Amino acid sequence: MPMPSQPTPMPLPRDFTDHGPCVEDLARAFAMQDAATSEALIETLATQAIRQWRLDDATFWQRVKFQARMIRAQMGSGRH
């Protein structure tokens, strides 16, 4: 079990044939993590997909990153 100060590991999808439903779930998980760390991981995943010519996967990760930023912004505005 992770310690409270350690980030919770995020389950990454193994099948990218249907990207739609899991974008929100992954974005929420990434939004709960440190912004710099989670965005670096998303960039790595998108870059790997681009290198392997899996453009649908790269687009998926960009959608996750955008949605995570939106969620993080909403969480921040609710704290003021």
Side-chain angles (χ1 to χ4, degrees):
M1 178 171 228
M3 299 297 291
S5 61
Q6 295 176 337
T8 304
M10 290 174 272
L12 300 177
R14 296 184 188 274
D15 179 11
F16 289 100
T17 56
D18 184 8
H19 296 138
C22 61
V23 169
E24 183 75 20
D25 294 337
L26 277 172
R28 287 188 188 285
F30 277 105
M32 299 309 239
Q33 306 300 321
D34 173 70
T37 302
S38 66
E39 292 218 2
L41 176 56
I42 292 170
E43 284 298 319
T44 299
L45 294 167
T47 300
Q48 287 174 346
I50 291 167
R51 286 183 182 151
Q52 296 173 12
W53 289 94
R54 294 181 328 215
L55 299 183
D56 286 345
D57 292 355
T59 302
F60 167 79
W61 288 115
Q62 293 299 317
R63 290 173 54 207
V64 169
K65 180 170 69 172
F66 175 78
Q67 191 69 20
R69 285 180 178 175
M70 297 297 290
I71 292 167
R72 204 175 286 118
Q74 290 171 348
M75 290 179 352
S77 66
R79 294 179 185 168
H80 296 277

